[in-house]
Amino acid sequence: MDIRFEPTDALILVDIQVDFCPGGKLPIERGDEVVSILNPIIEQAEKQGIYIFYSRDFHPRLHPSFKENGGIWPTHCVQDTEGARFHPELKIAKNSVIVTKGTRFDKDQYSAFDDTGLAVAFKKLDIKRVFIGGLALDVCVKETALDSIKNGFHTFLIKQGTRPVTEKSGEQALLEMKNKGVVII
Ligand code: VGL
Ligand code: ZN
């Protein structure tokens, strides 16, 4: 895919971490395939000097989203474990900014915009368009894209660069995003 970025664009790579890939603690089927699809886009963005934001799920052991703590997910992306690292082949660009989320003890944060201040940073940088890929389509990618729309950014989903937890909710997520104004590319 060839994206011609503009100076007021941002690229967000959502949660491309070891635990969300095959062999990880909350594996998404073929989740690792997004890396080879997104790396050339990251290179293009880097070449054009666009800011590239990498979100990471970074949970304390006591996180409320874990089944062992009454939540719905297997324990995953625990702070400072191997599973919380970015996929080893993911290109980390020169212009990269890391957005850490999921660190709170009182609630989960699926969206990279949820209580991170990211929208404020984007407004300061005069970001107008936001391109999004990563994991998982039906959870954190969806919520990030919907928050991006809510914050007034022209929002694009890089469809080939994302994978769902389940096929069915992935389809639903695409529909919901489209209905709310996300452009699927
Ligand atoms: C995610 C489930 C739990 C995600 C994070 O990044 O999509 N999914 N925590
Ligand atoms: Zn999580």
Side-chain angles (χ1 to χ4, degrees):
M1 183 183 301
D2 193 23
I3 301 173
R4 218 154 292 276
F5 290 108
E6 292 168 11
T8 50
D9 290 348
L11 175 61
I12 309 180
L13 291 322
V14 176
D15 300 5
I16 307 176
Q17 291 165 273
V18 170
D19 271 346
F20 294 127
C21 292
K25 298 252 171 55
L26 205 173
I28 290 153
E29 205 179 323
R30 300 188 299 130
D32 54 333
E33 289 179 8
V34 305
V35 174
S36 58
I37 291 158
L38 293 171
N39 272 349
I41 295 171
I42 294 168
E43 267 162 45
Q44 175 69 23
E46 182 181 45
K47 225 185 288 170
Q48 289 192 238
I50 300 307
Y51 278 104
I52 306 168
F53 295 82
Y54 298 77
S55 74
R56 62 172 180 175
D57 217 28
F58 209 61
H59 298 312
R61 260 166 223 293
L62 298 176
H63 197 256
S65 80
F66 298 163
K67 280 178 188 159
E68 59 185 287
N69 303 320
I72 60 169
W73 300 108
T75 297
H76 64 281
C77 295
V78 172
Q79 293 169 359
D80 291 322
T81 63
E82 196 54 38
R85 299 176 82 97
F86 291 119
H87 186 287
E89 273 140 53
L90 180 68
K91 182 178 168 66
I92 306 295
K94 280 197 287 288
N95 257 1
S96 69
V97 181
I98 292 175
V99 182
T100 300
K101 64 183 182 63
T103 60
R104 296 183 57 130
F105 294 96
D106 57 344
K107 64 162 195 173
D108 206 353
Q109 296 151 283
Y110 287 155
S111 161
F113 289 97
D114 185 2
D115 268 347
T116 61
L118 186 59
V120 173
F122 278 17
K123 300 249 155 90
K124 263 191 209 162
L125 292 168
D126 202 28
I127 299 293
K128 302 275 190 260
R129 302 198 306 174
V130 177
F131 292 79
I132 301 171
L135 303 170
L137 169 62
D138 42 351
V139 188
C140 290
V141 169
K142 179 181 94 168
E143 296 304 329
T144 299
L146 295 181
D147 269 353
S148 177
I149 291 280
K150 275 186 207 150
N151 282 289
F153 304 114
H154 195 183
T155 306
F156 299 81
L157 173 77
I158 306 165
K159 189 180 169 190
Q160 290 170 54
T162 180
R163 295 284 181 277
V165 176
T166 70
E167 217 52 57
K168 188 161 170 260
S169 66
E171 289 303 322
Q172 286 167 350
L174 284 174
L175 266 182
E176 185 179 351
M177 282 188 262
K178 219 184 280 183
N179 287 339
K180 292 186 170 159
V182 177
V183 181
I184 315 288
I185 58 171

